[in-house]
Amino acid sequence: MYAWIWRHLPGQWPLKTAAAAALVAVLATVLWYVAFPWLEPKVQFDRGVINTPSAPATPDRR
Amino acid sequence: MRIAIRGLGELCITAGLVLLLFVTYELWGTGRYTHQQQDRLGKELLNNWRSQRVTTEHVKLGSGLAMIRIPRFGTKYKYVIVEGVDLADLRKGPGHYPGSAMPGQIGNFVVSGHRTTYSAPFNRAAELRDGDQILIDTRDKQYVYKVTGRKVVQPTTVEVTAAVPFKPKDKPTKRLITLTTCNPKYSAAQRLIIFGELSAELPRRA
């Protein structure tokens, strides 16, 4: 996979390295600002609330 | 065959790196949101305190209610307590259980907060010792609570949030505070509960 990407990047190695770094940066940014904020509420592992069965305002959505 | 195995290996390494980045996001990236919200809520709260009192003061879910300071955690330790303990509320800061007593009132002022992630307001809760101060600033007064005990309980132990902890049917006579957070750190298997009682009332500090 990575070898295939490397072969398809344009130019000689300096340009290829720059393009690869840019790709990684774009991927990390998309993950950090889009994918992770969406995913985070679904895998919450830190919840300090005592689950009150009588209070519907605090359902256990862990 | 070799290509397939290599591709699988590369995928696994990539997945590992993405997971590492996600853990980094959970532990530190989520705090940025909390800081933004705390700045906003803090300003709102101060403006609200400076303005004229409305006759029926009712705090809306998700908005600021009081300021908490815990000297044991340093002089800079300060959070706006929001009303409500939904996921969205606790992302903004420590949350007050709706229906439990308000600061300074007879009964139990119950506050929940993150132990890790989202700026982790109660990260160091286990360091609190008996006699440590918990300062709650409201519009009129600063309520000084002193820690009286702590306990690790199951997540379903609702008795700790009762007006008289562990005696849900008793009529409250004392002015108590209860902090709840996750235990152990990075898990939600149990809850760490800090109990305290009002010891003094001082003029408000902004």
Coordinates of all heavy atoms in Angstrom, one line a residue, chain B residues 120-178:
Chain B
A120 N -10.4 17.3 32.5 CA -10.3 16.5 33.8 C -10.4 17.3 35.1 O -9.4 17.4 35.8 CB -9.0 15.7 33.7
P121 N -11.5 18.0 35.3 CA -11.6 18.9 36.5 C -11.3 18.1 37.8 O -10.8 18.7 38.8 CB -13.0 19.5 36.5 CG -13.7 18.6 35.5 CD -12.7 18.1 34.5
F122 N -11.8 16.9 37.9 CA -11.6 16.1 39.2 C -10.5 15.1 39.1 O -10.6 14.1 39.8 CB -13.0 15.5 39.6 CG -14.0 16.4 40.0 CD1 -15.3 16.0 40.2 CD2 -13.7 17.8 40.2 CE1 -16.3 16.9 40.6 CE2 -14.7 18.7 40.6 CZ -16.0 18.3 40.8
N123 N -9.5 15.4 38.2 CA -8.5 14.4 38.0 C -7.8 14.0 39.3 O -7.4 12.9 39.6 CB -7.4 15.0 37.1 CG -6.3 14.1 36.7 OD1 -5.2 14.1 37.3 ND2 -6.5 13.1 35.8
R124 N -7.6 15.0 40.2 CA -6.8 14.8 41.4 C -7.7 14.6 42.7 O -7.2 14.8 43.8 CB -5.8 15.9 41.6 CG -4.8 16.0 40.5 CD -4.0 17.4 40.6 NE -3.3 17.5 41.9 CZ -2.8 18.6 42.3 NH1 -2.8 19.7 41.5 NH2 -2.1 18.7 43.4
A125 N -8.9 14.2 42.4 CA -9.9 14.1 43.5 C -9.4 13.2 44.6 O -9.7 13.4 45.8 CB -11.3 13.7 43.0
A126 N -8.6 12.1 44.2 CA -8.2 11.2 45.2 C -7.2 11.8 46.2 O -6.9 11.2 47.2 CB -7.6 9.9 44.5
E127 N -6.6 12.9 45.9 CA -5.6 13.5 46.8 C -6.3 14.3 47.9 O -5.6 14.8 48.8 CB -4.7 14.5 46.0 CG -3.9 13.8 44.9 CD -3.2 14.8 44.0 OE1 -2.9 15.9 44.5 OE2 -3.0 14.5 42.9
L128 N -7.6 14.5 47.8 CA -8.3 15.3 48.9 C -8.2 14.6 50.2 O -8.5 13.3 50.3 CB -9.7 15.6 48.5 CG -9.9 16.7 47.4 CD1 -11.3 16.7 46.9 CD2 -9.5 18.0 47.9
R129 N -7.9 15.3 51.3 CA -7.9 14.7 52.6 C -9.0 15.4 53.5 O -9.4 16.5 53.2 CB -6.5 15.0 53.2 CG -5.4 14.3 52.5 CD -5.4 12.8 52.8 NE -4.5 12.0 51.9 CZ -4.9 11.5 50.7 NH1 -6.1 11.6 50.3 NH2 -4.0 10.9 50.0
D130 N -9.3 14.8 54.6 CA -10.3 15.3 55.5 C -9.8 16.7 55.9 O -8.6 16.9 56.3 CB -10.5 14.5 56.7 CG -11.3 13.2 56.4 OD1 -11.6 13.0 55.2 OD2 -11.6 12.5 57.3
G131 N -10.7 17.7 55.9 CA -10.4 19.0 56.3 C -10.0 19.9 55.2 O -9.9 21.2 55.3
D132 N -9.7 19.4 54.0 CA -9.4 20.2 52.8 C -10.6 21.1 52.5 O -11.7 20.6 52.6 CB -9.0 19.3 51.6 CG -7.6 18.9 51.7 OD1 -6.9 19.3 52.6 OD2 -7.2 18.1 50.8
Q133 N -10.3 22.3 52.0 CA -11.4 23.2 51.6 C -11.9 23.0 50.2 O -11.1 22.8 49.3 CB -10.9 24.6 51.8 CG -10.7 25.0 53.3 CD -10.4 26.5 53.4 OE1 -9.7 27.0 52.5 NE2 -10.9 27.1 54.4
I134 N -13.2 23.1 50.0 CA -13.8 23.2 48.7 C -14.6 24.5 48.7 O -15.5 24.7 49.5 CB -14.7 22.1 48.4 CG1 -14.0 20.7 48.5 CG2 -15.4 22.2 47.0 CD1 -14.9 19.5 48.5
L135 N -14.1 25.5 47.9 CA -14.8 26.8 47.9 C -15.7 27.0 46.8 O -15.4 26.7 45.6 CB -13.7 27.9 47.8 CG -12.4 27.7 48.7 CD1 -11.4 28.8 48.4 CD2 -12.8 27.8 50.2
I136 N -17.0 27.3 47.1 CA -18.0 27.5 46.1 C -18.5 28.9 46.1 O -19.0 29.4 47.1 CB -19.2 26.6 46.4 CG1 -18.8 25.1 46.5 CG2 -20.3 26.7 45.3 CD1 -18.3 24.4 45.2
D137 N -18.2 29.6 45.0 CA -18.6 31.0 44.9 C -20.0 31.1 44.2 O -20.2 30.5 43.1 CB -17.6 31.8 44.1 CG -16.4 32.2 45.0 OD1 -16.6 33.2 45.8 OD2 -15.4 31.6 45.0
T138 N -20.9 31.9 44.8 CA -22.2 32.1 44.1 C -22.4 33.6 44.1 O -21.5 34.4 44.4 CB -23.3 31.5 44.9 OG1 -23.4 32.1 46.2 CG2 -23.1 30.0 45.1
R139 N -23.5 34.1 43.6 CA -23.8 35.5 43.5 C -23.5 36.3 44.8 O -22.9 37.3 44.7 CB -25.2 35.7 43.0 CG -25.6 37.2 42.9 CD -27.1 37.3 42.8 NE -27.6 36.9 41.6 CZ -27.7 37.7 40.5 NH1 -27.3 38.9 40.5 NH2 -28.3 37.2 39.4
D140 N -24.0 35.8 45.9 CA -23.9 36.5 47.1 C -22.7 36.1 48.0 O -22.1 36.9 48.6 CB -25.1 36.3 47.9 CG -26.4 36.7 47.2 OD1 -26.3 37.8 46.6 OD2 -27.3 35.9 47.2
K141 N -22.4 34.9 48.0 CA -21.5 34.4 49.0 C -20.5 33.4 48.5 O -20.7 32.8 47.5 CB -22.3 33.7 50.2 CG -23.1 34.7 50.9 CD -23.4 34.2 52.3 CE -24.1 35.3 53.1 NZ -25.3 34.8 53.8
Q142 N -19.4 33.2 49.3 CA -18.5 32.1 49.1 C -18.8 31.1 50.2 O -18.7 31.4 51.4 CB -17.1 32.5 49.1 CG -16.1 31.3 48.9 CD -14.7 31.7 48.9 OE1 -14.1 32.1 50.0 NE2 -14.0 31.7 47.8
Y143 N -19.1 29.9 49.8 CA -19.4 28.8 50.8 C -18.1 28.0 50.9 O -17.6 27.5 49.9 CB -20.6 28.0 50.3 CG -21.9 28.8 50.3 CD1 -22.3 29.3 49.1 CD2 -22.6 29.1 51.5 CE1 -23.5 30.0 49.0 CE2 -23.7 29.8 51.4 CZ -24.2 30.3 50.2 OH -25.3 31.0 50.2
V144 N -17.6 27.9 52.1 CA -16.4 27.1 52.4 C -16.9 25.7 52.9 O -17.4 25.7 54.1 CB -15.5 27.8 53.4 CG1 -14.3 27.0 53.6 CG2 -15.2 29.2 52.9
Y145 N -16.7 24.7 52.1 CA -17.0 23.4 52.6 C -15.7 22.7 53.0 O -14.6 23.0 52.5 CB -17.6 22.5 51.5 CG -19.0 22.9 51.1 CD1 -19.2 23.9 50.1 CD2 -20.1 22.4 51.7 CE1 -20.5 24.2 49.7 CE2 -21.4 22.7 51.4 CZ -21.6 23.7 50.4 OH -22.9 24.0 50.0
K146 N -15.7 21.8 54.0 CA -14.6 21.0 54.3 C -14.8 19.6 54.1 O -15.9 19.0 54.4 CB -14.2 21.3 55.8 CG -13.5 22.6 56.0 CD -12.6 22.6 57.2 CE -11.7 23.8 57.2 NZ -11.6 24.5 58.5
V147 N -13.8 18.9 53.5 CA -13.9 17.5 53.2 C -14.1 16.7 54.5 O -13.3 16.9 55.4 CB -12.7 17.0 52.4 CG1 -12.8 15.5 52.2 CG2 -12.7 17.7 51.0
T148 N -15.1 15.8 54.5 CA -15.3 15.0 55.7 C -15.1 13.5 55.4 O -15.0 12.7 56.4 CB -16.7 15.1 56.2 OG1 -17.6 14.9 55.2 CG2 -16.9 16.6 56.7
G149 N -14.9 13.1 54.2 CA -14.7 11.7 53.9 C -14.7 11.4 52.5 O -15.1 12.2 51.6
R150 N -14.4 10.2 52.1 CA -14.5 9.7 50.7 C -14.7 8.2 50.7 O -14.5 7.5 51.6 CB -13.2 10.1 50.0 CG -12.0 9.5 50.5 CD -10.8 10.0 49.8 NE -9.6 9.4 50.3 CZ -8.6 9.0 49.5 NH1 -8.8 9.0 48.2 NH2 -7.6 8.4 50.0
K151 N -15.2 7.8 49.5 CA -15.6 6.4 49.4 C -15.6 6.0 47.9 O -15.9 6.9 47.1 CB -17.0 6.3 50.0 CG -17.4 4.9 50.4 CD -18.7 4.9 51.2 CE -19.0 3.4 51.4 NZ -19.2 2.9 52.6
V152 N -15.3 4.8 47.6 CA -15.4 4.3 46.3 C -16.6 3.4 46.2 O -16.7 2.5 47.1 CB -14.1 3.5 45.9 CG1 -14.3 2.8 44.6 CG2 -12.9 4.4 45.8
V153 N -17.5 3.6 45.3 CA -18.8 2.9 45.3 C -19.0 2.4 43.8 O -18.3 2.8 42.9 CB -20.0 3.8 45.7 CG1 -19.8 4.3 47.1 CG2 -20.2 5.0 44.8
Q154 N -20.1 1.6 43.7 CA -20.5 1.1 42.4 C -21.2 2.3 41.7 O -21.8 3.2 42.3 CB -21.5 -0.1 42.5 CG -20.8 -1.3 43.0 CD -19.6 -1.7 42.2 OE1 -19.7 -1.9 41.0 NE2 -18.4 -1.9 42.9
P155 N -21.2 2.3 40.3 CA -21.9 3.4 39.6 C -23.4 3.6 39.9 O -23.9 4.6 39.5 CB -21.6 3.0 38.1 CG -20.5 2.1 38.1 CD -20.6 1.3 39.4
T156 N -24.0 2.6 40.5 CA -25.4 2.6 40.7 C -25.8 3.0 42.1 O -27.0 3.0 42.4 CB -26.1 1.3 40.4 OG1 -25.3 0.3 41.1 CG2 -26.1 0.9 38.9
T157 N -24.8 3.4 42.9 CA -25.1 3.8 44.3 C -25.7 5.1 44.4 O -25.0 6.1 44.8 CB -23.8 3.7 45.1 OG1 -23.1 2.5 44.7 CG2 -24.1 3.6 46.6
V158 N -27.0 5.2 44.1 CA -27.6 6.6 44.1 C -27.8 7.2 45.5 O -28.0 8.4 45.6 CB -29.0 6.5 43.5 CG1 -28.9 6.2 42.0 CG2 -29.9 5.5 44.2
E159 N -27.6 6.3 46.5 CA -27.8 6.9 47.9 C -26.8 8.0 48.2 O -27.0 8.8 49.1 CB -27.6 5.7 48.9 CG -28.6 4.6 48.8 CD -28.0 3.5 47.9 OE1 -27.2 2.7 48.4 OE2 -28.4 3.5 46.7
V160 N -25.6 8.0 47.5 CA -24.7 9.1 47.8 C -25.1 10.4 47.4 O -24.7 11.4 47.9 CB -23.3 8.8 47.2 CG1 -22.7 7.5 47.7 CG2 -23.3 8.8 45.7
T161 N -26.1 10.5 46.5 CA -26.6 11.8 46.0 C -27.8 12.2 46.8 O -28.4 13.3 46.6 CB -27.0 11.7 44.5 OG1 -28.1 10.9 44.4 CG2 -25.8 11.2 43.7
A162 N -28.2 11.4 47.8 CA -29.4 11.8 48.6 C -29.1 13.0 49.5 O -27.9 13.3 49.7 CB -29.8 10.6 49.5
A163 N -30.1 13.7 49.9 CA -30.0 14.8 50.8 C -29.2 14.5 52.0 O -28.4 15.3 52.5 CB -31.3 15.4 51.1
V164 N -29.4 13.3 52.6 CA -28.5 12.8 53.6 C -27.9 11.5 53.0 O -28.6 10.5 52.8 CB -29.3 12.4 54.9 CG1 -28.4 11.9 56.0 CG2 -30.1 13.6 55.4
P165 N -26.6 11.6 52.6 CA -26.0 10.4 51.9 C -26.2 9.1 52.7 O -26.0 9.1 53.9 CB -24.5 10.8 51.8 CG -24.5 12.3 51.9 CD -25.7 12.7 52.8
F166 N -26.6 8.1 51.9 CA -26.9 6.7 52.4 C -28.1 6.6 53.3 O -28.5 5.5 53.8 CB -25.7 6.2 53.2 CG -24.4 6.1 52.4 CD1 -23.3 6.9 52.7 CD2 -24.3 5.3 51.3 CE1 -22.2 6.9 51.9 CE2 -23.2 5.2 50.5 CZ -22.1 6.0 50.8
K167 N -28.8 7.8 53.5 CA -30.1 7.7 54.3 C -31.1 8.5 53.5 O -31.5 9.6 53.8 CB -29.9 8.3 55.7 CG -29.1 7.4 56.5 CD -28.7 8.0 57.8 CE -27.8 7.2 58.6 NZ -27.0 7.9 59.6
P168 N -31.6 7.9 52.3 CA -32.4 8.7 51.4 C -33.7 9.1 52.0 O -34.3 10.1 51.6 CB -32.7 7.7 50.3 CG -31.7 6.6 50.4 CD -31.3 6.6 51.9
K169 N -34.2 8.5 53.1 CA -35.5 8.8 53.7 C -35.4 9.8 54.8 O -36.4 10.4 55.3 CB -36.2 7.6 54.2 CG -36.7 6.8 53.0 CD -37.5 5.5 53.4 CE -37.9 4.8 52.1 NZ -38.0 3.3 52.4
D170 N -34.1 10.1 55.3 CA -34.0 11.1 56.4 C -34.2 12.5 55.9 O -33.9 12.8 54.8 CB -32.6 10.9 57.0 CG -32.5 9.7 57.9 OD1 -33.4 8.8 57.8 OD2 -31.6 9.7 58.7
K171 N -34.6 13.3 56.9 CA -34.8 14.7 56.6 C -33.5 15.4 56.8 O -32.8 15.3 57.8 CB -35.9 15.3 57.5 CG -36.4 16.6 57.0 CD -37.7 17.0 57.8 CE -38.3 18.3 57.3 NZ -37.7 19.5 57.7
P172 N -33.0 16.2 55.8 CA -31.7 16.8 55.9 C -31.7 17.9 56.9 O -32.6 18.7 57.1 CB -31.4 17.4 54.5 CG -32.7 17.6 53.9 CD -33.6 16.5 54.5
T173 N -30.6 18.0 57.7 CA -30.4 19.1 58.7 C -29.1 19.8 58.4 O -28.9 20.9 58.9 CB -30.4 18.6 60.1 OG1 -29.4 17.5 60.2 CG2 -31.7 18.0 60.5
K174 N -28.2 19.1 57.7 CA -26.8 19.7 57.5 C -26.7 20.2 56.0 O -27.5 19.9 55.2 CB -25.8 18.6 57.7 CG -25.7 18.2 59.1 CD -24.6 17.1 59.2 CE -24.4 16.7 60.7 NZ -23.5 15.6 60.8
R175 N -25.7 21.1 55.9 CA -25.4 21.7 54.5 C -24.2 20.9 54.0 O -23.1 21.2 54.4 CB -25.1 23.2 54.7 CG -26.3 23.9 55.2 CD -25.9 25.3 55.7 NE -26.9 25.8 56.6 CZ -28.0 26.5 56.2 NH1 -28.2 26.8 55.0 NH2 -28.9 27.0 57.1
L176 N -24.5 20.0 53.1 CA -23.4 19.1 52.6 C -23.0 19.4 51.2 O -23.8 20.0 50.4 CB -23.9 17.7 52.8 CG -24.3 17.2 54.1 CD1 -24.9 15.8 54.1 CD2 -23.2 17.3 55.1
I177 N -21.8 18.9 50.8 CA -21.4 18.9 49.4 C -21.0 17.4 49.1 O -20.4 16.7 50.0 CB -20.3 19.9 49.1 CG1 -20.0 20.0 47.6 CG2 -19.0 19.5 49.8 CD1 -19.1 21.2 47.2
T178 N -21.2 17.0 47.9 CA -20.7 15.7 47.4 C -20.2 15.8 46.0 O -20.9 16.3 45.1 CB -21.9 14.6 47.5 OG1 -22.4 14.5 48.8 CG2 -21.4 13.3 47.0

